[in-house]
Amino acid sequence: MADRVVMVTGATRGLGRGIARGFASTGATIFVTGRDEGALASVVTEIAECGGRGMALACDHRDDAQAKAAFDRLAAETGGRLDILVNNAAAVYGQDLVAPGPFWEKPLKLVDMLDVGLRSNYVAAYHAAPLMVGARRGLIASISFYGAVSYFHGPAYGAAKAGTDKMTADMAVDLAPHGVSAVSFWPGFILTDAIKAMPTEMIPEQLRAMLPLWETPEFSALVIDALARDPDLAAMSGKAVIGAELGERYGIRDRDGKQPVSYRATMGSPLEFVGPPAG
């Protein structure tokens, strides 16, 4: 699968931005989406510096027309080729999300994660599927987390992640006869650019002690890339998969040489929804 074509949604910062860089190190062509055109331009520069080819697609994933236009442009640029879609776009309001207190005391806007996060994953997969089905290959990897099965940041977050897992399972049933796979991908705690840039004294002591265990977002990209190449990919389609466990399966370590850890024992294990085998 030379000259692999990847789309990463919500790639202007955080996990998505690092995943784009990680795929760049494999020499892929990466289409990145986001609302901030300036940030998209800087991501494309980083992709080039890491050995890939980047293409910016300005897109607000709240707007179905903009999402369709992004996929139309990708198809025009690649002759209809898309090998991997990473559904990462999400409406995450950091300070409000992690603030203590019950959901009714937090801003109602947190429920936006059901729109940009869950619904936007559906819309992106809706446009990606015909490109992959036509080629009888491809992987849709939607970012989820342990919050799908355990309490984490409250009901809006949990519903978005649990919904992503079940939606992925059902998509896999439809995609299986066409040689296309879909997984819900659970990374661990992510060492984003923003966290790395924080002065040490601003990081709470308890969190500071945990940081050596956190994964870089580039690790997730390398694991998803290996998963897409796995001859047994179809057997995992429809499942929620843990990035750290796949890293061990494929012998992939993080940039500092560590083997990221699975939080299955402490935060819960994914429900395995298995669709029919590819035919």
Side-chain angles (χ1 to χ4, degrees):
M1 297 181 69
D3 303 319
R4 181 168 292 202
V5 176
V6 180
M7 175 184 275
V8 183
T9 69
T12 56
R13 57 190 171 90
L15 178 62
R17 187 168 186 144
I19 285 178
R21 290 195 301 258
F23 273 111
S25 70
T26 72
T29 296
I30 305 105
F31 288 79
V32 288
T33 75
R35 292 180 295 168
D36 185 334
E37 295 191 37
L40 283 174
S42 65
V43 175
V44 168
T45 298
E46 290 178 1
I47 289 171
E49 291 171 348
C50 293
R53 176 174 176 257
M55 297 285 291
L57 299 172
C59 177
D60 182 343
H61 284 277
R62 290 178 176 83
D63 185 335
D64 291 350
Q66 290 189 39
K68 180 181 184 302
F71 279 91
D72 286 347
R73 184 176 170 202
L74 178 147
E77 293 282 350
T78 67
R81 179 169 185 173
L82 177 60
D83 299 302
I84 300 173
L85 167 65
V86 180
N87 268 326
N88 172 73
V92 178
Y93 304 105
Q95 293 301 316
D96 293 320
L97 185 65
V98 303
F103 71 91
W104 62 88
E105 294 179 358
K106 297 182 181 184
L108 187 58
K109 67 182 181 181
L110 291 181
V111 80
D112 287 354
M113 284 183 285
L114 298 180
D115 188 18
V116 181
L118 178 56
R119 187 180 186 280
S120 62
N121 286 351
Y122 184 99
V123 173
Y126 179 89
H127 292 296
L131 303 178
M132 295 178 174
V133 165
R136 296 196 62 79
R137 66 168 185 267
L139 171 64
I140 299 171
S142 297
I143 301 299
S144 187
F145 194 64
Y146 298 85
V149 296
S150 61
Y151 186 92
F152 193 82
H153 294 332
Y157 185 93
K161 298 309 181 185
T164 293
D165 287 2
K166 182 60 169 71
M167 183 172 66
T168 296
D170 290 353
M171 285 180 176
V173 174
D174 289 345
L175 292 168
H178 306 284
V180 180
S181 297
V183 300
S184 194
F185 185 84
W186 294 12
F189 293 97
I190 300 298
L191 192 62
T192 63
D193 297 338
I195 292 176
K196 288 189 290 185
M198 287 179 66
T200 303
E201 62 272 16
M202 291 183 61
I203 301 174
E205 188 173 345
Q206 183 179 9
L207 180 59
R208 199 183 312 160
M210 296 172 58
L211 288 181
L213 296 176
W214 287 26
E215 305 167 12
T216 68
E218 288 86 349
F219 172 77
S220 291
L222 296 179
V223 171
I224 294 171
D225 181 71
L227 175 64
R229 300 175 190 273
D230 192 328
D232 294 326
L233 172 61
M236 287 179 276
S237 187
K239 296 182 180 181
V241 295
I242 295 173
E245 295 177 0
L246 289 180
E248 286 196 78
R249 173 187 175 107
Y250 300 128
I252 298 171
R253 290 184 174 271
D254 210 340
R255 299 177 75 181
D256 60 2
K258 72 172 177 289
Q259 189 73 61
V261 298
S262 168
Y263 297 92
R264 175 187 292 269
T266 56
M267 296 183 69
S269 59
L271 303 174
E272 295 190 350
F273 299 101
V274 183

